[in-house]
């Protein structure tokens, strides 16, 4: 999968597991271990130049991914400095310009993470995303794809996006934003779930496209506090 993505020129690669699986479909510990071994091989090559996320809706991989990253970091540090410098300029699967852009991008990301640490990050998906299934059904995101907001075989994409179901979903998200950690799902809400709300919500895509935009996140915090 990684080689195919590189071959077709993908700018970013996101590895994620499926959601809404039956218990019999979930991975065993041995299968998860084999998957992490494969991830280690591609991350060793890629060093997060094109890989953006490794996660899963089926299970929480964050401790395993953090341990893998720490091991690979120590592995890099153990190599002679001259060898690391040589590879930065001439080695690996990436040209020097690509490695330099990646280095500068990671510096910006680390700076942004420091600036936005501790900020509230509720779901913004209702204003910039939709999932269209082969049946024509539209869901707000991959996690809530079972909560249809319309159907593109019945209505136009514009009609679905501006329709009452989408507006109701956005109103539910606004209540989450207003109430923060005090929010709890209400029987009157048709689309959001417990995963969608609170400062400690575990949803990995709530503000996925804005997480490294420090200017946007700062403005968003000021709006919440006003």
């Amino acid at each position: 999968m990684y080689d195919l993505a590189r071959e077709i020129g993908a700018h970013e690669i996101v590895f994620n597991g499926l959601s809404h699986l039956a218990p019999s479909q979930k991975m065993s510990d041995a299968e998860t271990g084999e998957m992490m071994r494969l991830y280690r091989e591609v991350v060793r090559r890629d060093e997060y130049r094109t890989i953006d996320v490794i996660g899963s809706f089926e299970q929480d991989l964050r401790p395993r991914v953090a341990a893998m990253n720490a091991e690979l970091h120590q592995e890099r540090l153990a190599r002679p400095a001259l060898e690391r410098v040589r590879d930065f300029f001439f080695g690996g699967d990436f040209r020097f310009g690509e490695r330099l852009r990646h280095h500068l991008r990671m510096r910006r990301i680390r700076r942004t993470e420091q600036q936005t640490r501790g900020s509230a990050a509720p779901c913004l998906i209702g204003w910039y995303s939709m999932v269209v299934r082969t049946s024509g059904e539209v869901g707000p995101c991959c996690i809530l794809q079972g909560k249809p907001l319309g159907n593109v075989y019945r209505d136009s994409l514009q009609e679905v996006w501006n329709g009452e179901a989408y507006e109701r979903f956005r109103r539910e998200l606004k209540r989450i934003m207003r109430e923060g950690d005090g929010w709890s799902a209400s029987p009157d809400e048709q689309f959001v779930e417990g995963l969608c709300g609170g400062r400690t919500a575990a949803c990995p895509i709530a503000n996925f496209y804005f997480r490294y935009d420090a200017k946007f996140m700062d403005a968003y915090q000021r709006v919440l506090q006003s």
Side-chain angles (χ1 to χ4, degrees):
M1 292 169 63
Y2 174 76
D3 289 338
L4 175 61
R6 292 290 309 281
E7 180 183 336
I8 64 178
H11 294 138
E12 290 186 1
I13 300 171
V14 175
F15 287 112
N16 223 323
L18 299 174
S19 59
H20 303 95
L21 295 176
S24 61
Q25 296 174 308
K26 295 185 178 181
M27 300 176 72
S28 66
D29 288 342
E31 290 170 331
T32 300
E34 172 64 8
M35 179 177 67
M36 293 307 302
R37 185 190 66 77
L38 295 170
Y39 281 148
R40 183 177 286 102
E41 290 179 7
V42 295
V43 170
R44 183 180 286 116
R45 291 169 53 192
D46 189 85
E47 295 185 344
Y48 290 103
R49 291 184 174 94
T50 51
I51 295 173
D52 191 54
V53 172
I54 295 176
S56 176
F57 299 132
E58 177 198 349
Q59 56 184 310
D60 187 358
L61 291 179
R62 287 174 295 181
R64 289 177 179 260
V65 172
M68 175 191 72
N69 291 339
E71 290 173 11
L72 292 175
H73 179 64
Q74 292 302 317
E75 181 182 291
R76 286 191 293 271
L77 292 180
R79 296 169 57 203
L82 186 60
E83 183 179 317
R84 282 185 280 141
V85 171
R86 183 200 63 200
D87 285 349
F88 182 79
F89 285 97
F90 306 110
D93 298 342
F94 296 86
R95 295 188 296 271
F96 170 69
E98 292 173 315
R99 286 190 290 273
L100 180 60
R101 285 193 296 272
H102 170 70
H103 176 72
L104 296 175
R105 175 175 175 266
M106 294 306 294
R107 288 184 59 181
R108 289 194 299 271
I109 287 174
R110 284 192 291 269
R111 185 165 60 247
T112 302
E113 287 176 340
Q114 291 174 352
Q115 293 171 340
T116 60
R117 185 172 292 123
S119 299
C123 182
L124 305 171
I125 207 88
W127 289 271
Y128 69 89
S129 175
M130 62 166 56
V131 170
V132 182
R133 306 182 69 178
T134 55
S135 63
E137 281 195 347
V138 174
C141 63
C142 52
I143 294 177
L144 299 178
Q145 59 181 293
K147 305 284 186 76
L149 300 172
N151 191 299
V152 295
Y153 295 154
R154 185 176 62 244
D155 301 302
S156 71
L157 204 63
Q158 184 176 13
E159 288 171 331
V160 173
W161 182 253
N162 295 314
E164 171 55 28
Y166 241 107
E167 288 304 312
R168 180 163 187 169
F169 174 57
R170 293 176 184 125
R171 289 195 294 271
E172 293 176 4
L173 293 180
K174 287 178 182 178
R175 187 171 83 84
I176 292 174
M177 294 177 189
R178 287 194 303 270
E179 298 183 11
D181 282 341
W183 173 84
S184 60
S186 163
D188 297 329
E189 291 172 323
Q190 295 183 357
F191 304 107
V192 297
E193 298 179 358
L195 187 68
C196 302
R199 183 180 290 269
T200 58
C203 178
I205 61 172
N207 61 350
F208 182 79
Y209 294 107
F210 302 97
R211 58 183 171 161
Y212 298 135
D213 188 338
K215 184 177 180 181
F216 173 86
M217 294 303 294
D218 179 65
Y220 177 75
Q221 301 305 313
R222 285 189 271 108
V223 169
L224 279 185
Q225 295 165 6
S226 63

